[in-house]
Amino acid sequence: MANNFFTPPTMRMPILLLSHEINHHRVRDIADVMANEPAGQKLTDPNEYVLADVSKKYAPGVIHTRKQFVVELAARHVAWHVAQQYDTKIAKTQPKQKSMPTPGRFFKAAFDYAKGDPSSYHDNGYMVELAGRGDEVLGKQVALWMLQMNRMEFHNLPTTSDAVGAWFLNEYQVAEAANFKPSGVGEGLA
């Protein structure tokens, strides 16, 4: 069932689109905090931006790009979970629903998304420029912002969201151990 009205190519099922958009609504308060917090506003903070000169060049819009990238990753990750149950194409290719991707695969999926679809998270040129400086540079930025997903809400039970958040901390460590160079097959985003 194709729905091309405001539907990215990876989200052709209405249920995936709905779950994606509901998650945007769920994390809206966290996203507002993220957009206005001092850490994200300090463009020279190496824990948020890999190249201070480039982040300053794209200020102030890079702050919005940061927030949008994180909330898009969260929404697409929730849609991935939904797809495992409702997308017959995905459901037929695996024996059971996966709780989380194999370590490193989410980082690869996030990297591919960052590089391949910057307009969908409102990149103002920052991520495109980083991509032009090499996969390791872009990979480090993706991992730093991916780390922010530990703040998002994924379930109605806070303890479950906390467990998922802890998983993203581990995924960051996997990316760091690989020197922020993604490899293999990406998984975890719909």
Side-chain angles (χ1 to χ4, degrees):
M1 174 178 342
N3 177 0
N4 293 323
F5 185 69
F6 292 119
T7 307
T10 57
M11 297 182 142
R12 295 293 187 213
M13 288 184 61
I15 190 77
L16 298 185
L17 181 60
L18 181 62
S19 63
H20 176 103
E21 293 306 323
I22 286 172
N23 201 68
H24 278 306
H25 181 73
R26 173 181 281 189
V27 301
R28 70 190 182 285
D29 293 338
I30 298 166
D32 288 343
V33 168
M34 183 179 283
N36 296 306
E37 67 189 353
Q41 300 278 328
K42 189 175 178 187
L43 300 176
T44 57
D45 183 351
N47 294 314
E48 296 295 329
Y49 303 97
V50 294
L51 299 174
D53 59 327
V54 180
S55 61
K56 286 186 207 175
K57 176 180 172 183
Y58 290 99
V62 70
I63 296 164
H64 180 71
T65 297
R66 171 184 170 262
K67 176 196 77 157
Q68 285 302 117
F69 183 73
V70 175
V71 298
E72 276 298 318
L73 285 181
R76 288 166 186 251
H77 181 66
V78 167
W80 175 80
H81 282 287
V82 171
Q84 292 177 76
Q85 294 178 357
Y86 296 103
D87 186 321
T88 55
K89 188 176 183 181
I90 292 173
K92 287 178 184 175
T93 63
Q94 58 191 33
K96 63 178 185 162
Q97 179 182 353
K98 294 181 181 180
S99 58
M100 294 301 272
T102 303
R105 286 188 170 190
F106 183 84
F107 171 61
K108 170 66 169 148
F111 176 87
D112 291 346
Y113 169 62
K115 194 171 189 176
D117 198 4
S119 64
S120 70
Y121 56 88
H122 305 255
D123 180 38
N124 67 339
Y126 175 72
M127 296 292 271
V128 170
E129 183 164 333
L130 292 184
R133 293 179 182 227
D135 285 354
E136 188 174 328
V137 174
L138 179 63
K140 185 172 184 180
Q141 186 63 75
V142 167
L144 286 172
W145 287 354
M146 181 184 71
L147 187 60
Q148 295 296 318
M149 289 182 65
N150 73 334
R151 302 166 62 186
M152 298 288 117
E153 293 179 20
F154 296 95
H155 297 277
N156 291 339
L157 299 170
T159 55
T160 304
S161 281
D162 290 347
V164 174
W167 186 89
F168 286 111
L169 292 173
N170 184 65
E171 190 69 358
Y172 172 84
Q173 293 168 341
V174 169
E176 184 178 40
N179 293 318
F180 305 107
K181 294 178 186 173
S183 64
V185 177
E187 183 182 25
L189 297 177

